Structure formats: structure tokens, C-alpha cells
């Protein structure tokens, strides 16, 4: 079981006790050592008092998905001892606060239990109940540092940086870390067989969550209006946007804000505000999750038919109904693709990690204005609220927003006539004007039946002419959206296909399968409508394992409906229990299907 830079650590604590800071300190220290690391949160949907877990995966190979094992469990919550004990992989270690002996922790003979009197040591060293709770959590950082050989100088440096403006806290935090570190060094064989060693694989990388990255992307894209109703797990996206705007969207001369962020009374009001702002020429967006999409659906259909740009971030969580608000899924694919009543089809973008959240945010605003339609970015809780190691963001200083077919005052002055819903160029996209630009640019924005000239109608042929033209726009979108990533390992007839956060687990699964001499080709869909190259990819294979995180194979359904894929070829690989998908799950399912003689 000995290994270097391949260890999974999980910390079990209580929500609201300050453990997030301690867990972040551990992850940052490992990252500073040049070792790839990823952090996954498992937290309750209440404010305080329920169990919470944080999983740190150290992986010299740079894998970003969840691991299907647990090497070191730090069991700081007595209420979850039994569960935490059961989760440790054979040969692993469980660390607990032995201030209060727990005989049940000795029930497993295939793991090593390490008791450390953290509470007693902190009670003897620090004053005040709150300080003792906080310092107990910091002290386990020292224990882990000793056990897996984290550089304590780096931990010290991080503490000094964190409390640079509160120097009185540096000594107390380092004292707590030393308590745990020294106890472990004196009482256990350190380091464990699983340990870390410095690498140089984190240069040019950052650790960030997808919601922060998306919020930053919105600012860079030129968004000036955000309207939303708080909902887990998307609220932190708007929080990030607000934080960036409050620092960088201030007029230098007047000191006034050059942005507007509104917390609406509900999701329906939020999307209405976004549509009004976009109709007026601003770049506006909202962030939400599945329940919010349900409430927004009527307005989304209005935007589709009236052809108003909008950007909607759906950070997906489990459903249906309230579901489990703090768990992840990809179960809103169909509800977003066909949101609202009537014949609608909406452009969807599927970022795979925070790096793509940043770039996809920018692309979403350009596409919304170019296509004059709502663009939905489908992230999920795993991407949005977990800590990923990704390349540093790149930005083109020459970037100019693509406003699409917007007529200027001069354009309108020189035009013989202007009809809002007339397709002049044959691409299904009409020209638009912004309010107040020129009298010739005035028109009625209609959610009711309208002709290509913008007039009200209930005439069958005139109505059908407009909705058929929207299909022309749909095909135009198909050609300008991000193309799928396609990889061929060798000439064979089997492949894996996925979207979004499934990518990290699929990439690792492909490596694991290759080690067993099973070589599969790979396709990652980045957008809906489905690009023609993805259709060609599926046609080349006898079987395609469609990996997604929902019960009902919604991505598979889209491939059949939109790309006319052969259902017999598409084998669903479905993970939907609310935890992030992991590579072993995909490997096992693929090998199971292969053993049936379906492929490979």
C-alpha cells in the first residue's frame, strides 16, 4: 500500500466549526509543494450543526475526479464515527480525537486507528470555548503534515499570508499546528507509507471553483447586470461576480458603480429583469439551479420566441423537487434543452471544469447576442463548488464583444425599412435595434403570434413561417458552437462519450482501461445542438458508452433526438446518487458490457 503522491484524505467535521479553513490550508500546502491536488466538499443543506466532509485527493498523475477509496480518515465528528470507520479502505488509517476513548473504533482489524487527544491538548493550551473549537480543527493540520510529510515551512508561510493583517493570530494558529505535529512525531512512525514528495507540476496552475471562475468570466465578458434569487449551489457564482465588480467596475472619475446586481423576489422575477436588461442592450445574466429553471420556463420560452439574448447559468443539483440541494447531478439536460411550453430548443453549453467555466462564460454572452436567444451554461455542484486544479486563465486583450446583428443609428437612418423578425441573410438570424437608437428602429416585442414583419397575427401560414425560420437559426447555431473533443486511441469500434464534469472521470477511466489493454475512443460533447462531427463519431462505432450523471439517460436521449444516433449503439453508463462520478465506476461498467460481447 506504500505510495508517493497518491493518497486520499477525508476530514469529517461538523458544519459551522471553521473546518473549511483548516481543510483549505492542507490543500494549499500540498499544492505549494508542486503536487496536483483536488478537493471535494460533502456538506449539509442546513446552516450549522450537521456532519460535513472534505476529501483531498493527492494525485501526482494530475487526475481531477473523485477517488473510489479512502486512505486516511480524520474523524472529528463523534456522530459519524461508525460511518467514517466503514469508509476507510483496507490498509488505511483512521485518526480520531482520543480525549474521549471510542472502543468501537477498534472493531476493524484491517485498518490502523490512531488516537490523538486533540481536545485535551487544546483545552489546556487555549482560552475560550470558541477558540478551543477552532484550534482543535487547526491542530489536525499538524497531525496530517507529520503523517504524510507535508513541508511545515510551507504551512507556516500560508498561515503568515492568511493572517498578514491579524498578526496576533499567527502565533496561536502555529501553536495549534505544532501541538498536532509534535504529538504525531513523538507517538507514531512518521511518515506513513503513503506520503507526499515535492514535485513541480503545479506551475502555471491555480486552484479555483467553477462558480468563482464563471463569475470572473462574466465580468470579463462585459456583463453589467446580474439578477438572481439565492439557491444552492449557484449563489456563490453571483457572489463572486459582485465581488469582482465591486473592485473593478467603479468609475474612476465619479467613484460610482458601473454595474447593477439585483436580488429578486423569486426566479421568475430574476429572469424577467435579465430579459429587460438584455432587450435594452446590456449584457445581463442570472445564476440558478434546477428548481429555478422550472420557475423561469415561461419567460425562457418568451425570450426564445421574441428573440431576446440572455445568459443563464444552471449549476445543477439533485432532484426532483427539492431533492438534495448540496449534492451533484446532471439531471436538468432535457428540462433546459426544451424549457417552456410549445416548440422550443435552447442552446446549451457544457463546461468540464472551472477553466472552461471562465471561457464558456465569455462565449455564452457572445453567442446569446449573435443568435439572439437564451444561452444556458450547464455546470453542476461538483464543478461549481469544489476545488479544482486548472491552468491559469488566459485573456486576449484584443477581445471585442460580439454584439451580433445590432443596427446603429446610422444603419437605421440609411435603411429603407426595418423589420425586426425578417431574415435578410438566410441564416435564420434577423437584425435588431436597441431602444432609443433611432425612430426607424422601433418595433413591438411580441411573445404572441407575429409575422416576419413584426405584426400581430393568428394566420396559420404567417405563424409557421416564423417558427420555421427559428429552425434555420438552430442549424446556424449548430455550426458555430464549440465543437466536441474527439480522441482516437486506435482503430476500434468502441468508444466513450460524455459531457461536463464526467470528463475528468472518463479521462482517468480511459487510462485505467488502457492498462488492461482495453483501448476506447473518446468524445466529449461541449454544446447542444449536437455538432455534426459528434454524429459522425457515433456512426463510426458499433457501441458508444454514454456516461452521464442522471437516472434517465438524458444525454443519450438528446443524441437520439437531435443527432439521430442509433439507439442500439448507445449504452447508458449512469451515475446519479448525488456524489461525483469516479473512474472505477466507468471502468467496471465498460468491462461488464464488454464481457457481454457488445464491444471491444
Amino acid at each position: 500500500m506504500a505510495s508517493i503522491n497518491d493518497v486520499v484524505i477525508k476530514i469529517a467535521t461538523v458544519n459551522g466549526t471553521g473546518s473549511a479553513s483548516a481543510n483549505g490550508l492542507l490543500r494549499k500546502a500540498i499544492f505549494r509543494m508542486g503536487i496536483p491536488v483536488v478537493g471535494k466538499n460533502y456538506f449539509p443543506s442546513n446552516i450549522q450543526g450537521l456532519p460535513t466532509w472534505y476529501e483531498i485527493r493527492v494525485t501526482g498523475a494530475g487526475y481531477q475526479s473523485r477517488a473510489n477509496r479512502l486512505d486516511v480518515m480524520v474523524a472529528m465528528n463523534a456522530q459519524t464515527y461508525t460511518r467514517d470507520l466503514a469508509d476507510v479502505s483496507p490498509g488505511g488509517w483512521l485518526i480520531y480525537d482520543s480525549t474521549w476513548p471510542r472502543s468501537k473504533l477498534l472493531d476493524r482489524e484491517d485498518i490502523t486507528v490512531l488516537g490523538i487527544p486533540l481536545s485535551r491538548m487544546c483545552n489546556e493550551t487555549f482560552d475560550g470555548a470558541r477558540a478551543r473549537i477552532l484550534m482543535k480543527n487547526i491542530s489536525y493540520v499538524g497531525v496530517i503534515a507529520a503523517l504524510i510529510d507535508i513541508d511545515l515551512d510551507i504551512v507556516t508561510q500560508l498561515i503568515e499570508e492568511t493572517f498578514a493583517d491579524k498578526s496576533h493570530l499567527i502565533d496561536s494558529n502555529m501553536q495549534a499546528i505544532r501541538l498536532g505535529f509534535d504529538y504525531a512525531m513523538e507517538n507514531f512512525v512518521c511518515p506513513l507509507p503513503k506520503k507526499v514528495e515535492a514535485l513541480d507540476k503545479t506551475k502555471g496552475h491555480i486552484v479555483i471553483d467553477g462558480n468563482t471562475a464563471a463569475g470572473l468570466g462574466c465580468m470579463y465578458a462585459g456583463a453589467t447586470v446580474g439578477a438572481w434569487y439565492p439557491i444552492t449551489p449557484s449563489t456563490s457564482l453571483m457572489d463572486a461576480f459582485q465581488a469582482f465588480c465591486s473592485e473593478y467596475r467603479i468609475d474612476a472619475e465619479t467613484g460610482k458603480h458601473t454595474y447593477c446586481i439585483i436580488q429578486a423576489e423569486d426566479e421568475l422575477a430574476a429572469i424577467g429583469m435579465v430579459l429587460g436588461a438584455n432587450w435594452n442592450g446590456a449584457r445581463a445574466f442570472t445564476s440558478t439551479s434546477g428548481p429555478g429553471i422550472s420557475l423561469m420556463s415561461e419567460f425562457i420560452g418568451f425570450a426564445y420566441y421574441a428573440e431576446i439574448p440572455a445568459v443563464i447559468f444552471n449549476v445543477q443539483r439533485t432532484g426532483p423537487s427539492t431533492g438534495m440541494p448540496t449534492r451533484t447531478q446532471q439531471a436538468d439536460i432535457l428540462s433546459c434543452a426544451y424549457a417552456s411550453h410549445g416548440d422550443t430548443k435552447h442552446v446549451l453549453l457544457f463546461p468540464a471544469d472551472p477553466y472552461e467555466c471562465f471561457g464558456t462564460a465569455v462565449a455564452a454572452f457572445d453567442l446569446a447576442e449573435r443568435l439572439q436567444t437564451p444561452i444556458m451554461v450547464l455546470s453542476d455542484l461538483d464543478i461549481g463548488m469544489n476545488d479544482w486544479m486548472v491552468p491559469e486563465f488566459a485573456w486576449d486583450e484584443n477581445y471585442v464583444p460580439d454584439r451580433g446583428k445590432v443596427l446603429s443609428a446610422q444603419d437605421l437612418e440609411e435603411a429603407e425599412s426595418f423589420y425586426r423578425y425578417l431574415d435578410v441573410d438566410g441564416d435564420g438570424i434577423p437584425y435588431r435595434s436597441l431602444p432609443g437608437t433611432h425612430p426607424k428602429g422601433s418595433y413591438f416585442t411580441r411573445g404572441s403570434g407575429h409575422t416576419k414583419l413584426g405584426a400581430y397575427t393568428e394566420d396559420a401560414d404567417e405563424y409557421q413561417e416564423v417558427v420555421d425560420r427559428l429552425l434555420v437559426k438552430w442549424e446556424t447555431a449548430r455550426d458555430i458552437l464549440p465543437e466536441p473533443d474527439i480522441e482516437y486511441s486506435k482503430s476500434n469500434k468502441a468508444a466513450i462519450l460524455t459531457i461536463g464534469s464526467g470528463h475528468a472521470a472518463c479521462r482517468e477511466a480511459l487510462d485505467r482501461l488502457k492498462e488492461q489493454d482495453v483501448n476506447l475512443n473518446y468524445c466529449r460533447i461541449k454544446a447542444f445542438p449536437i455538432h455534426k462531427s459528434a454524429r459522425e463519431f457515433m456512426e463510426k462505432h458499433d457501441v458508444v458508452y454514454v456516461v452521464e450523471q442522471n437516472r434517465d439517460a438524458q444525454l443519450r436521449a438528446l443524441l437520439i433526438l437531435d443527432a439521430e444516433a442509433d439507439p442500439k449503439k448507445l449504452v447508458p453508463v449512469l451515475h446519479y446518487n448525488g456524489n461525483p462520478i469516479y473512474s472505477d465506476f466507468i471502468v467496471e461498467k465498460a468491462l461488464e458490457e464488454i464481457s457481454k460481447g457488445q464491444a471491444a
Side-chain angles (χ1 to χ4, degrees):
M1 193 170 177
S3 64
I4 295 174
N5 295 331
D6 183 16
V7 58
V8 180
I9 307 161
K10 197 169 189 177
I11 301 103
T13 56
V14 175
N15 198 32
T17 59
S19 58
S21 298
N23 301 336
L25 181 60
L26 276 171
R27 175 183 48 75
K28 291 175 184 177
I30 295 167
F31 180 79
R32 287 278 182 95
M33 291 177 68
I35 309 167
V37 62
V38 60
K40 304 287 187 185
N41 285 289
Y42 305 92
F43 58 101
S45 56
N46 75 336
I47 296 175
Q48 187 169 347
L50 286 182
T52 183
W53 292 265
Y54 187 73
E55 184 175 284
I56 299 173
R57 184 182 183 187
V58 182
T59 164
Y63 294 125
Q64 293 287 292
S65 61
R66 167 186 163 220
N68 187 36
R69 72 172 201 275
L70 176 56
D71 302 314
V72 180
M73 168 64 82
V74 183
M76 300 295 290
N77 184 358
Q79 292 181 346
T80 62
Y81 275 161
T82 302
R83 174 177 175 177
D84 297 337
L85 175 68
D87 284 349
V88 182
S89 298
W93 296 264
L94 183 139
I95 301 161
Y96 80 106
D97 186 351
S98 62
T99 302
W100 302 276
R102 303 283 173 175
S103 58
K104 290 185 179 181
L105 293 181
L106 305 178
D107 289 349
R108 283 190 60 181
E109 296 181 354
D110 60 342
I111 69 169
T112 301
V113 177
L114 304 177
I116 305 172
L118 297 174
S119 292
R120 178 177 61 78
M121 292 191 298
C122 288
N123 289 344
E124 292 172 353
T125 305
F126 302 102
D127 296 324
R130 182 61 178 169
R132 287 168 175 171
I133 292 173
L134 295 175
M135 291 303 107
K136 182 178 70 171
N137 283 336
I138 290 295
S139 66
Y140 68 66
V141 172
V143 174
I144 297 298
L147 290 175
I148 69 169
D149 209 16
I150 295 174
D151 189 336
L152 204 59
D153 289 339
I154 291 178
V155 175
T156 303
Q157 182 183 26
L158 286 167
I159 290 291
E160 291 173 348
E161 292 174 4
T162 301
F163 300 110
D165 56 347
K166 299 178 181 179
S167 57
H168 64 286
L169 295 177
I170 295 175
D171 289 342
S172 60
N173 277 268
M174 283 309 304
Q175 188 176 12
I177 289 170
R178 272 291 177 186
L179 284 176
F181 184 88
D182 291 343
Y183 187 95
M185 293 295 290
E186 293 169 6
N187 292 275
F188 310 126
V189 177
C190 298
L192 299 176
K194 281 185 172 287
K195 63 177 184 177
V196 298
E197 285 185 3
L199 294 174
D200 61 354
K201 291 188 175 183
T202 61
K203 291 179 180 178
H205 289 75
I206 58 174
V207 174
I208 192 171
D209 63 82
N211 284 352
T212 300
L216 183 63
C218 290
M219 190 190 70
Y220 269 79
T224 56
V225 176
W228 96 114
Y229 184 78
I231 182 172
T232 302
S234 70
T235 296
S236 60
L237 195 160
M238 194 63 74
D239 289 343
F241 178 70
Q242 182 170 3
F244 291 127
C245 286
S246 65
E247 185 170 355
Y248 299 109
R249 284 269 165 81
I250 307 295
D251 185 270
E253 295 183 2
T254 65
K256 293 183 178 180
H257 293 169
T258 57
Y259 63 94
C260 177
I261 298 175
I262 307 170
Q263 180 177 324
E265 61 266 34
D266 54 34
E267 286 90 349
L268 184 61
I271 188 62
M273 295 171 183
V274 167
L275 296 184
N278 278 288
W279 180 83
N280 272 284
R283 284 196 154 183
F285 74 98
T286 189
S287 59
T288 189
S289 193
I293 293 294
S294 297
L295 291 171
M296 294 178 184
S297 288
E298 184 176 359
F299 256 143
I300 293 173
F302 168 71
Y304 171 81
Y305 190 36
E307 300 179 71
I308 301 172
V311 174
I312 302 167
F313 291 89
N314 178 2
V315 188
Q316 298 169 93
R317 70 189 206 186
T318 62
S321 188
T322 304
M324 295 189 294
T326 58
R327 296 294 183 266
T328 194
Q329 261 187 0
Q330 296 173 320
D332 299 344
I333 299 171
L334 290 177
S335 65
C336 287
Y338 302 107
S340 194
H341 54 278
D343 289 322
T344 57
K345 292 184 178 182
H346 302 294
V347 174
L348 311 181
L349 301 177
F350 306 113
D353 57 35
Y355 181 84
E356 290 193 357
C357 284
F358 174 77
T360 300
V362 178
F365 286 97
D366 285 347
L367 288 166
E369 294 204 277
R370 185 172 176 182
L371 293 168
Q372 299 174 29
T373 198
I375 302 291
M376 287 191 248
V377 181
L378 267 62
S379 174
D380 57 43
L381 186 146
D382 185 21
I383 297 174
M385 296 193 72
N386 285 330
D387 300 312
W388 296 64
M389 189 185 89
V390 297
E392 294 177 350
F393 299 149
W395 182 250
D396 182 2
E397 294 295 340
N398 297 316
Y399 166 77
V400 176
D402 185 348
R403 304 306 304 269
K405 297 180 179 182
V406 178
L407 296 174
S408 66
Q410 183 176 347
D411 293 332
L412 290 164
E413 177 65 32
E414 296 174 354
E416 184 175 335
S417 58
F418 167 68
Y419 300 107
R420 173 64 182 93
Y421 300 112
L422 183 64
D423 180 9
V424 177
D425 303 321
D427 59 1
I429 306 171
Y431 286 82
R432 66 183 177 121
S433 63
L434 299 179
T437 300
H438 192 281
K440 281 188 180 179
S442 60
Y443 65 94
F444 284 107
T445 302
R446 298 186 184 275
S448 55
H450 51 265
T451 71
K452 64 183 179 181
L453 302 181
Y456 176 81
T457 188
E458 294 186 19
D459 179 85
D461 292 337
E462 290 177 334
Y463 162 79
Q464 185 169 332
E465 184 178 21
V466 172
V467 293
D468 283 348
R469 193 259 303 160
L470 291 176
L471 283 181
V472 177
K473 183 199 290 190
W474 182 251
E475 293 305 318
T476 296
R478 192 186 305 276
D479 292 331
I480 65 175
L481 293 175
E483 296 185 19
D485 281 345
I486 293 175
E487 300 175 17
Y488 289 93
S489 60
K490 60 168 59 176
S491 178
N492 60 56
K493 293 296 184 178
I496 287 178
L497 183 149
T498 195
I499 57 169
S501 61
H503 174 62
C506 283
R507 287 294 324 144
E508 184 173 357
L510 289 167
D511 289 346
R512 299 277 184 259
L513 288 165
K514 189 175 182 180
E515 291 171 359
Q516 302 182 52
D517 200 29
V518 177
N519 296 284
L520 301 180
N521 297 330
Y522 181 57
C523 175
R524 175 166 66 94
I525 302 294
K526 292 186 175 181
F528 173 73
I530 309 300
H531 193 269
K532 61 182 179 181
S533 61
R535 178 183 301 186
E536 294 167 353
F537 178 87
M538 288 182 284
E539 289 173 351
K540 292 178 181 179
H541 295 87
D542 293 335
V543 61
V544 177
Y545 304 112
V546 182
V547 178
E548 49 185 312
Q549 297 175 74
N550 58 72
R551 185 195 67 184
D552 295 336
Q554 296 183 30
L555 173 60
R556 181 178 181 272
L558 275 194
L559 296 173
I560 295 169
L561 289 169
D562 187 66
E564 299 179 345
D566 182 354
K568 296 178 182 178
K569 291 184 175 185
L570 306 182
V571 177
V573 178
L574 308 175
H575 186 277
Y576 50 88
N577 64 8
N579 289 326
I581 192 170
Y582 55 94
S583 63
D584 286 353
F585 176 84
I586 301 167
V587 170
E588 291 169 7
K589 293 293 183 181
L591 292 177
E592 179 182 330
E593 294 296 332
I594 290 170
S595 68
K596 295 176 182 178
Q598 287 188 293

